[in-house]
Amino acid sequence: MWYWQEKKIPMYVKFMEDNYRPDFKYEDFGPLFTARFFNASYWADVFQASGAKYTVLTSKHHEGFTLWGSKHSWNWNAVDVGPKRDLVKELEAAIRNRTDLRFGLYYSLFEWFHPLFLEDKSRSFHQQQFPVSKTLPELYELVNKYQPEVLWSDGDGDAPDDYWNSTVFLAWLYNQSPVRDTVVTNDRWGLGTICKHGGYYTCSDRYHPGHLLPHKWENCMTIDKFSWGYRRDARLSDYLTIEELVKELVETVSCGGNLLMNIGPTYDGTIPVIFEERLRQMGTWLKVNGEAIYETYPWRSQSDVTPDVWYTSKPKQKLVYAIYLKWPTSRHLFLGQPIATPGATEIKLLGHGQPLNWTSLKPNGILVELPRLTFDQMPCKWGWALALTNVI
């Protein structure tokens, strides 16, 4: 919508001219969005199979269409137009009834073309017609009605947090709301708050610092390298492979972050099979290696001198995990960071279970002898994890 109607980028303008009638407006997409095949239970099952611990549904993006019957978005919501269904409620119920995932909602504070927002903007945000009549009522409605435990705010529209009245809303959210004891929020609550204030930082889309941060953060990224939505003209090479996604997950977690993988459903409510395959592949990998991911902490070193080796830890259990993304042809993996103690240190390959032989090297590091396995005997593909007990 933005590229077509506001930026008027030629390729988007031409696409609309070639595929839609001359007087077609963005609002005309409303009835075309049918969600005819949307099956919340199936979605929930796919998310559970992915190994995810929370899910975030876009309840409203910058064009203002809400996936629930918002009282403040008359005739521009999924109950009045298109699906004629409360999609937020359906997915919320399925997630909570069928999975152990936390249910979260994304919500865009501003709307590209809402007249009240544009009027407020023209007056340098010295008046608050839009947040008072639209944004804040919808946020309270979302929280009270669906009780999301992740609230993912976005789209400040270059307006400061006091325009959005963010601090008052967040004070209510954390102290009086029905999710006050469990909710977490991100850092997008007004111009200048990103990467500075929030339960966790997102900093930018596809944020991937590659080093440890002092504050909890999230890498919100897309499986489609070029889009957050569904693209009919996408090619196979446009999607990240499972190897690339595992690498993204491992690097993110080792640096103290969470990974939020975006998928783009279709207008008729289905998850394209390439997205489903990637999610299920990730779940297959996590069934074996989840111990090195879930409830872990960053170690003193995030990576190793050996390329594609990343570390996580569980200090209370005296465990360090070395996750390596390439299986050495020699079957010997050099780890330059851990300091082992003969007689105390034990090393196991997750999914294999038997203690492995290792040699302590001078001045530091260890050489691990990996098991001799056929391809079919491998505990997993795309990356492996060693559990190191009693190393420093």
Side-chain angles (χ1 to χ4, degrees):
M1 179 182 186
W2 184 253
Y3 293 153
W4 166 38
Q5 294 195 339
E6 178 67 20
K7 295 296 185 181
K8 302 187 186 304
I9 296 175
M11 64 178 291
Y12 294 95
V13 173
K14 186 176 188 305
F15 179 86
M16 294 305 299
E17 290 175 347
D18 291 346
N19 294 280
Y20 295 91
R21 65 177 188 268
D23 60 343
F24 191 89
K25 298 179 177 60
Y26 187 81
E27 303 88 82
D28 295 327
F29 278 119
L32 300 180
F33 170 48
T34 64
R36 177 184 175 189
F37 301 117
F38 175 65
N39 183 328
S41 295
Y42 189 76
W43 279 36
D45 293 347
V46 171
F47 299 157
Q48 177 84 351
S50 76
K53 294 300 182 184
Y54 62 99
T55 184
V56 180
L57 174 68
T58 301
S59 67
K60 186 198 79 166
H61 202 250
H62 307 328
E63 80 330 333
F65 189 91
T66 69
L67 294 191
W68 81 101
S70 169
K71 300 174 184 176
H72 310 279
S73 188
W74 180 81
N75 216 35
W76 192 233
N77 65 74
V79 174
D80 291 342
V81 181
K84 305 292 180 70
R85 298 160 65 179
D86 186 338
L87 303 179
V88 175
K89 182 62 182 176
E90 290 184 34
L91 187 61
E92 181 248 339
I95 291 293
R96 290 191 164 131
N97 292 334
R98 301 175 69 90
T99 79
D100 58 3
L101 277 72
R102 304 280 188 171
F103 179 70
L105 289 173
Y106 165 107
Y107 179 84
S108 172
L109 299 176
F110 91 125
E111 295 175 19
W112 281 317
F113 300 114
H114 197 292
L116 293 182
F117 175 76
L118 295 177
E119 185 178 338
D120 287 352
K121 184 177 181 179
S122 71
R123 300 189 181 186
S124 301
F125 302 115
H126 291 142
Q127 65 180 25
Q128 296 174 287
Q129 292 184 92
F130 182 71
V132 169
S133 63
K134 186 70 161 62
T135 303
L136 289 167
E138 285 191 337
L139 280 171
Y140 285 110
E141 183 181 12
L142 274 177
V143 172
N144 283 317
K145 193 169 184 179
Y146 306 108
Q147 301 186 17
E149 293 182 282
V150 179
L151 191 57
W152 217 102
S153 176
D154 192 24
D156 59 43
D158 294 329
D161 66 276
D162 56 358
Y163 168 76
W164 298 111
N165 214 13
S166 296
T167 54
V168 172
F169 171 76
L170 289 170
W172 171 82
L173 183 70
Y174 280 110
N175 292 284
Q176 296 175 280
S177 79
V179 290
R180 60 188 177 275
D181 295 328
T182 56
V183 71
V184 294
T185 60
N186 65 339
D187 54 352
R188 304 187 183 193
W189 294 95
L191 185 65
T193 67
I194 192 168
C195 222
K196 293 182 180 178
H197 303 285
Y200 60 92
Y201 294 166
T202 62
C203 298
S204 64
D205 292 345
R206 302 179 179 87
Y207 183 63
H208 189 129
H211 59 82
L212 184 62
L213 295 186
H215 192 87
K216 188 64 182 179
W217 61 280
E218 180 186 72
N219 175 3
C220 179
M221 45 71 71
T222 59
I223 297 177
D224 180 336
K225 300 173 190 176
F226 306 105
S227 176
W228 296 88
Y230 170 68
R231 293 188 301 136
R232 287 181 287 177
D233 61 345
R235 298 180 178 183
L236 182 61
S237 60
D238 293 343
Y239 298 101
L240 292 175
T241 64
I242 185 56
E243 290 86 354
E244 290 170 320
L245 287 171
V246 168
K247 179 180 174 68
E248 192 90 5
L249 172 69
V250 169
E251 292 180 3
T252 297
V253 174
S254 71
C255 294
N258 284 9
L259 186 69
L260 187 64
M261 295 194 308
N262 175 84
I263 61 171
T266 63
Y267 75 94
D268 54 11
T270 61
I271 298 173
V273 290
I274 186 123
F275 291 130
E276 180 177 345
E277 180 185 53
R278 294 292 181 271
L279 293 176
R280 292 187 182 276
Q281 287 173 323
M282 185 65 85
T284 299
W285 189 84
L286 284 166
K287 280 182 179 178
V288 176
N289 301 289
E291 179 186 331
I293 299 294
Y294 302 129
E295 300 178 5
T296 59
Y297 294 82
W299 193 44
R300 61 172 173 80
S301 179
Q302 280 63 68
S303 58
D304 198 83
V305 291
T306 299
D308 291 315
V309 175
W310 295 82
Y311 293 102
T312 62
S313 71
K314 289 181 178 175
K316 289 183 179 179
Q317 293 94 319
K318 297 183 179 180
L319 279 167
V320 171
Y321 298 95
I323 307 170
Y324 56 106
L325 303 175
K326 293 180 181 177
W327 189 278
T329 54
S330 67
R331 289 196 304 109
H332 288 87
L333 180 67
F334 172 68
L335 301 176
Q337 288 296 336
I339 301 173
T341 303
T345 296
E346 186 176 76
I347 302 176
K348 293 182 177 181
L349 173 65
L350 295 189
H352 178 258
Q354 299 302 314
L356 304 181
N357 295 325
W358 57 270
T359 305
S360 186
L361 302 177
K362 301 294 184 182
N364 61 288
I366 56 178
L367 189 66
V368 182
E369 181 182 341
L370 298 174
R372 189 184 302 275
L373 301 173
T374 66
F375 183 80
D376 290 338
Q377 291 171 328
M378 287 280 187
C380 58
K381 297 180 284 185
W382 318 311
W384 302 265
L386 296 176
L388 292 74
T389 307
N390 295 317
V391 297
I392 57 174

